[in-house]
Amino acid sequence: MRSLRLGVALASIALLPAGVYAQTPPAKAPAATAAPQGAPPGTPNPETVIAKVNGSEIRLSDLNILLQSLPEDARQLPPAQLYPQLLDQAIDGRALVVMARKQNIDRDPVISRQMTAASDRALQSALIGREVGPSITEAQIKARYDKDVAGKPGEEEVHARHILVASEDAAKKIIDQLKGGADFATLAKTASTDPAAAQGGDLGFFKSTDMLPEFSVAAFALKPGEFSQTPVQTRYGWHVIKVEERRNAQAPSFEQAHDELRQAMISEGISKVVGQARAMVKVERFNPDGSAMKTTDTATPPPPAKK
């Protein structure tokens, strides 16, 4: 029964968002029997002490951090099986820290800087989570969709074919044949080295961002029925392009646009917080040799002096 209760506790704590403890740390650890404010009834308190190693406390939230670092398949193990394993892992880790400190490893300058860097990363993540996280709600994402996407025409697309050959001269000969009345699809099947040759060079509909820039510029400059009058070079070779149709794609549904909108909102939120943070500090830049950086300096170190 004891293992079952502990397993259920671990399962409940794992349902809380990863990093929530770093984002909303209490000013003072609450009593072990108190649940976090706003938590569902029966949710265990993440600050519950579940072990001590030389007096150093291990809390339930420490196990949740370990849980998040496990592979996805390992997280699916039954909570009653996971709990003792994670607890042993936490105890082992804390014991290693005790041994390392006894050997004064933490006083090594390199290790000390690594520890500081890890602490800094945790603070950065916590700040971003606290400042940006609350604004990325489903309601906010939907509002962004309604404002920027819904009801607006989709991005322009073209339906095109192409013939890919290895040289400019070969592409020019293809163009001459097309000017003489040759069928584009037939030439693509016999002359193109692209996998789409079997379909007469048909690439279907695509947006400008779907293709290499030089290919897209040439394709989107053509009207339906037109083919490129000069060869188009990309890293794959030389292309002759024919546009069949043009259209505006339908605006994506909320479900289709959801993840992209969410990521854009996160990126914007992070940029805003970084800008606010930079505005609060004084920045001094130095060259790799430690000298004061001038506006004409670059980050590239000077070449070594000749002997």
Side-chain angles (χ1 to χ4, degrees):
M1 182 63 70
R2 177 175 179 273
S3 296
L4 178 60
R5 286 200 301 269
L6 292 174
V8 170
L10 178 63
S12 299
I13 206 69
L15 292 176
L16 296 175
V20 69
Y21 316 113
Q23 295 174 18
T24 55
K28 181 178 180 181
T33 56
Q37 185 176 2
T43 300
N45 179 9
E47 296 304 315
T48 299
V49 175
I50 53 175
K52 291 184 180 181
V53 178
N54 273 12
S56 176
E57 297 176 341
I58 297 175
R59 301 177 183 274
L60 197 56
S61 56
D62 295 323
L63 295 201
N64 190 54
I65 294 172
L66 291 176
L67 180 66
Q68 300 305 321
S69 68
L70 293 178
E72 184 62 32
D73 56 343
R75 298 185 205 176
Q76 306 308 315
L77 291 173
Q81 182 178 348
L82 268 176
Y83 181 87
Q85 295 181 26
L86 289 174
L87 183 56
D88 280 340
Q89 184 177 344
I91 292 171
D92 290 345
R94 201 63 60 88
L96 287 170
V97 169
V98 171
M99 178 181 288
R101 291 188 183 281
K102 284 185 176 181
Q103 296 180 17
N104 294 324
I105 293 177
D106 55 319
R107 298 183 184 179
D108 180 291
V110 174
I111 302 301
S112 179
R113 285 193 293 271
Q114 291 175 350
M115 293 169 64
T116 300
S119 176
D120 287 349
R121 286 193 295 270
L123 285 173
Q124 293 162 15
S125 177
L127 176 64
I128 294 296
R130 177 177 292 180
E131 296 293 324
V132 178
S135 65
I136 313 298
T137 64
E138 288 301 304
Q140 290 293 334
I141 298 173
K142 182 61 166 59
R144 179 70 170 264
Y145 172 81
D146 293 339
K147 175 177 177 291
D148 293 348
V149 181
K152 296 186 178 181
E155 190 174 348
E156 186 179 17
E157 297 179 326
V158 298
H159 173 197
R161 299 176 183 269
H162 81 132
I163 298 171
L164 176 65
V165 291
S167 69
E168 184 178 14
D169 286 341
K172 288 180 177 179
K173 290 179 181 178
I174 295 292
I175 293 172
D176 289 339
Q177 294 180 66
L178 292 171
K179 289 180 178 179
D183 180 68
F184 195 100
T186 301
L187 277 179
K189 290 179 179 179
T190 58
S192 181
T193 60
D194 187 78
Q199 290 78 45
D202 195 350
L203 297 172
F205 279 98
F206 57 86
K207 300 178 178 64
S208 63
T209 53
D210 293 337
M211 299 294 181
L212 294 173
E214 52 269 41
F215 189 97
S216 287
V217 168
F220 278 80
L222 298 172
K223 297 177 181 178
E226 292 182 342
F227 58 85
S228 50
Q229 300 298 297
T230 57
V232 178
Q233 185 181 20
T234 71
R235 63 172 177 260
Y236 297 110
W238 295 85
H239 306 259
V240 180
I241 305 168
K242 180 184 179 183
V243 167
E244 301 284 4
E245 303 173 73
R246 302 177 74 105
R247 72 180 184 188
N248 281 336
Q250 291 184 345
S253 66
F254 175 65
E255 290 72 20
Q256 292 170 328
H258 178 278
D259 290 350
E260 185 175 347
L261 288 173
R262 180 177 182 274
Q263 188 56 51
M265 292 170 67
I266 291 173
S267 297
E268 292 166 6
I270 291 174
S271 295
K272 180 179 178 181
V273 175
V274 171
Q276 292 171 341
R278 286 287 293 266
M280 296 171 58
V281 298
K282 177 183 178 181
V283 178
E284 299 176 83
R285 298 178 183 271
F286 302 91
N287 290 309
D289 62 0
S291 61
M293 182 177 288
K294 301 176 183 177
T295 55
T296 56
D297 289 335
T298 68
T300 304
K306 295 182 179 180
K307 295 182 179 180

